Amino acid sequence: MARKRNPNGAGSIWQRKDGRYEGRVYVPQPDGTRARKTVYGSTWEECDEKRQELVRRARQGIPTPTRSAKLSEWLPYWLAQYIEPRRKLSTYDKYEMHVRRYLIPLLGTKRLESLSVADVRRFTTRMQSTSTAATAKEAHRVLRTALTAAGREELITRNVASLVEPPRVKQREISPWSLEETLAFLEAARRDPLYAAFVLAIAMGLRRSWWACAGRMWIWTTGCCTCVSRRSAGAACCTTTTPRAAASGWSRCPRCASRRFAGTG
């Protein structure tokens, strides 16, 4: 008995010369277009089952790419469609930097479906050897977020980045200013026009109030303090052996300020 003809949009199945069965169905693509997707099976029933799955996804409006997109194609699309409209500009800039500098150069040729756990592990290991563990951890987080979005669109069956443990970052030990050092700094900066900003920065926390310094940057270093101004390329160092903050001009770190205040700086 002849098989019934499939209705329009349900695709078609035929037997190939090698004995296998081939089916084709027009399915929606992630970019909104439609393309023909081909499936194969050793029997007619196996091929028909795959065809029905494609038809079901097409009727539900689920995109089914005819070929797995490369990361170099998916990541820019993800930035433009997911991150830029929904996240803050600073978040978009950070993600875009990691995509441009690390993810596309190292993983751009990999396809979404063929990306493996080993690929991600090699990526993080290479990142740690060429950059810092913190940068490698952040790049891993960006990749995991991008693959999560691909999973929501059913472009991949699993997020391999979530199966790889991110690099461990060692926390830096920061020695806070003592009361004497803070008072010495404020005393040395009393005549500075930005004295009120310095007081506000110390009261609220230097890291959260760096913006109050009106063009002056607080540079944290290990080994010596560095005086840097956005308006000048000059710098001055002292022999501070623990992480210290320094501002431009004559208002340097507490130890510099205390020496100046005592007449020895």
Side-chain angles (χ1 to χ4, degrees):
M1 182 177 67
R3 301 183 186 275
K4 294 183 179 180
R5 181 183 179 88
N6 293 325
N8 290 336
S12 57
I13 300 177
W14 64 90
Q15 190 173 18
R16 296 162 50 94
K17 292 182 179 180
D18 58 5
R20 294 189 303 162
Y21 289 85
E22 177 179 344
R24 293 182 180 179
V25 180
Y26 279 94
V27 294
Q29 299 298 292
D31 59 0
T33 61
R34 293 179 66 86
R36 189 166 56 182
K37 175 75 173 179
T38 303
V39 293
Y40 302 93
S42 57
T43 63
W44 188 93
E45 289 75 13
E46 179 184 353
C47 188
D48 184 59
E49 184 177 352
K50 296 179 180 179
R51 178 195 62 81
Q52 291 181 29
E53 177 64 19
L54 292 179
V55 174
R56 181 187 65 82
R57 291 169 58 91
R59 290 175 177 173
Q60 293 179 355
I62 301 175
T64 304
T66 56
R67 64 181 182 88
S68 181
K70 293 182 178 179
L71 282 172
S72 59
E73 300 169 346
W74 166 252
L75 291 174
Y77 172 83
W78 168 70
L79 286 173
Q81 301 297 325
Y82 281 80
I83 302 303
E84 190 173 13
R86 299 179 177 89
R87 301 292 185 89
K88 295 187 296 185
L89 180 60
S90 58
T91 302
Y92 172 82
D93 290 339
K94 180 175 64 176
Y95 283 12
E96 189 275 335
M97 183 272 294
H98 281 280
V99 167
R100 171 172 42 85
R101 296 188 58 182
Y102 307 118
L103 295 177
I104 289 182
L106 298 180
L107 294 175
T109 58
K110 298 291 183 180
R111 296 192 179 274
L112 288 173
E113 281 292 348
S114 62
L115 185 68
S116 64
V117 173
D119 293 330
V120 179
R121 186 176 294 111
R122 284 192 293 267
F123 167 74
T124 56
T125 302
R126 184 174 177 182
M127 283 288 299
Q128 291 183 81
S129 62
T130 58
S131 186
T132 63
T135 303
K137 183 177 181 179
E138 186 64 23
H140 174 270
R141 188 173 73 89
V142 173
L143 176 62
R144 186 180 67 236
T145 305
L147 294 182
T148 299
R152 291 196 184 101
E153 291 199 7
E154 299 190 16
L155 301 180
I156 55 177
T157 56
R158 63 172 183 166
N159 188 341
V160 294
S162 62
L163 304 178
V164 178
E165 184 178 357
R168 182 172 298 178
V169 180
K170 295 182 179 179
Q171 298 293 333
R172 288 192 309 169
E173 294 185 3
I174 298 178
S175 177
W177 292 1
S178 65
L179 177 60
E180 292 75 14
E181 290 175 333
T182 304
L183 293 177
F185 174 81
L186 292 177
E187 185 63 31
R190 187 175 296 276
R191 291 174 296 176
D192 193 282
L194 296 176
Y195 175 75
F198 295 152
V199 175
L200 177 63
I202 291 174
M204 296 181 61
L206 293 175
R207 289 179 63 86
R208 290 187 298 172
S209 298
W210 66 270
W211 50 267
C213 296
R216 303 182 181 201
M217 296 187 297
W218 297 80
I219 307 301
W220 292 86
T221 62
T222 303
C224 69
C225 77
T226 305
C227 164
V228 179
S229 173
R230 292 183 181 180
R231 295 182 297 273
S232 172
C237 293
C238 75
T239 58
T240 304
T241 56
T242 55
R244 287 290 178 258
S248 63
W250 54 271
S251 303
R252 300 189 181 94
C253 76
R255 296 183 181 177
C256 292
S258 62
R259 289 199 299 271
R260 181 175 295 276
F261 177 70
T264 59

